[in-house]
Amino acid sequence: MNLTFLNAGFLFAGLAALVPLVIHLISRRKVETVDFSSLRFLKELERKRIRRVRLRQILLLVVRSLVLLCAALALARPTLRGAHAGGAHARTSVAIVLDDSASMSRDGQDGRPLFDAAVAAARGIAGLLAEGDQAFLVTAGVPPRSVLPGGTFGREALKAAVDGVRVGAAATDYPAALALARDLLAGARNLNREIYVIGDMQRSGWRLATAGAESARAPDAAGPRTYCLPVAGPESNLSVVVTGVERAYGGTRGLHTISAEVRNHGRRRATVPVRLFLDDAQVGQAGVDVGPGESSPVGFAVAVDGARWHAWRVEIPPDAFAGDNEAYLAIPATERVEVLVVEPDGADARGDGHYLRLALDPTGRGERFSPVGVAASALAGQDRGRFPVVVFADAGRLPGSGLEWTERHLADGGGALFVLGRRTDARFWNTGPLSSVTGVTLTVPFERSSGARLAPAGEGHPILDGLVFGGRLIDDVAVRRGFEATLAGAEEIL
């Protein structure tokens, strides 16, 4: 049997028992000697009186100190534990922080997933709860969340909540999860409060702090006791990330350099091959040697066909956690694209088609786009294989041959951009490719003197990607003429 204190921090308050003694010493009178005539009998009476006063003062000092000391001991909540302690238990409020991040899907050193071991540990804590104990459950994956916001006083309810947690694809944020757990315990009923953190304790999880500075605050010394229960992960785990893609100009046509980085999250040095795939075909391989806790760069140089998009993949051999063994990226077409701009017959030289061609090729050198203008009546005579994209610049309506050419172009996977204007025949386009391809039906044309501005509704839309919002360009663009339209399916109208 031994004596413990549930709130040992209050033992320091016992120092307050010295306060009456200090006050007594400070307030002692200084006696001055004054010569007087013989007062022998009076002095005898004074000595007896002084002895009684001093005894009373000492007893009063002891009582005051004992009162303060007993108050400090009561706040510290002494508890007897052991065979003869009578099974004393102080009611406790517990918060379990359970790591449900992607790294917990790895297999541990015992061969079973880390998350299974973490769940078993959490269930073990739930089994120790006694009557009157309160429990909360917080997950540590980004963003941390409270599974039991109001807490529970039942073991089985806590076990059921633990069993309902699943591993996700998010990263870990232990600081934010701890902050949430402390906030929940701040409103708990019981004075004795504890936090149990169960996870693989990766360093990256302690640095994230997604909830800001508040989440990263250090635990209060007088706050709940915090215990970390790590589950042992594999000794070897590597990851790969792409750090950069650059196109080389002036040399080999279509040459790109791919930069990647291999990180060693394990405890042992590792040497692994890194492979690069282009459109699912391996085009490069390099070896790296990485020490524990270190990173090693690796680079590749590959020439590609710049006329189309390409999918890349950087890969390392399988290990304990497959989720970080591959990194993906895509490179868009980089060579000049020929664009066919279809204008109405007899269009003004400074009409919509002219400004569209100027926007696509402002320098006239065809560095990125090479626009070619053609009248609507001549559309059927154009080579469909030459132009991957067709822009209809307020083309009015198309002749039958032009409509057939357009439908075959779209059926072959070609792209089309419809720019509406005063000449647009809504009835024609509603029965033609505009409605069948986009699901948009034009209704009533409108004009607004003030204009409808693209910002902020158009911000972030892919068709406006690269244009400036907030002070320049797009903020100054206003559409004064347009068409009201209806949608079919999941399309979107700016």
Side-chain angles (χ1 to χ4, degrees), residues 127-323:
L128 296 176
L129 298 181
E131 183 179 355
D133 290 342
Q134 185 181 16
F136 299 89
L137 180 60
V138 175
T139 58
V142 177
R145 63 186 180 92
S146 172
V147 180
L148 296 170
T152 180
F153 290 89
R155 297 180 183 178
E156 297 307 319
L158 177 58
K159 291 180 180 180
V162 170
D163 292 340
V165 178
R166 296 290 182 267
V167 174
T172 315
D173 192 349
Y174 288 123
L178 281 170
L180 179 56
R182 290 195 295 268
D183 291 341
L184 292 172
L185 289 178
R189 297 183 182 181
N190 301 319
L191 293 178
N192 191 35
R193 299 165 183 175
E194 299 173 346
I195 298 177
Y196 294 88
V197 184
I198 308 175
D200 56 8
M201 304 299 164
Q202 291 198 18
R203 285 178 295 178
S204 59
W206 292 101
R207 294 193 298 262
L208 192 56
T210 56
E214 180 66 17
S215 67
R217 68 180 188 271
D220 188 354
R225 297 179 183 180
T226 302
Y227 304 92
C228 291
L229 306 179
V231 289
E235 295 187 358
S236 176
N237 179 50
L238 286 82
S239 66
V240 61
V241 295
V242 174
T243 57
V245 180
E246 293 185 4
R247 179 186 178 188
Y249 294 91
T252 304
R253 184 177 182 181
L255 183 64
H256 287 75
T257 58
I258 312 296
S259 302
E261 184 178 78
V262 177
R263 300 171 182 170
N264 188 349
H265 305 281
R267 302 183 182 92
R268 298 178 181 177
R269 178 173 292 276
T271 301
V272 295
V274 184
R275 298 186 295 171
L276 176 67
F277 291 83
L278 171 63
D279 298 330
D280 290 328
Q282 183 174 343
V283 293
Q285 178 170 319
V288 294
D289 181 73
V290 196
E294 298 178 354
S295 301
S296 180
V298 60
F300 302 93
V302 181
V304 300
D305 177 10
R308 62 188 184 91
W309 285 68
H310 295 281
W312 302 77
R313 183 175 82 252
V314 182
E315 179 182 285
I316 58 176
D319 56 15
F321 181 48

Side-chain angles (χ1 to χ4, degrees), residues 443-458:
T443 55
V444 181
F446 68 86
E447 289 194 23
R448 297 178 184 172
S449 58
S450 59
R453 298 190 178 275
L454 296 178

Side-chain angles (χ1 to χ4, degrees), residues 421-422 424 426 442-447 481-484:
R422 288 183 173 180
T424 300
L442 304 179
T443 55
V444 181
F446 68 86
E447 289 194 23
R481 299 185 184 91
F483 282 86
E484 294 182 4

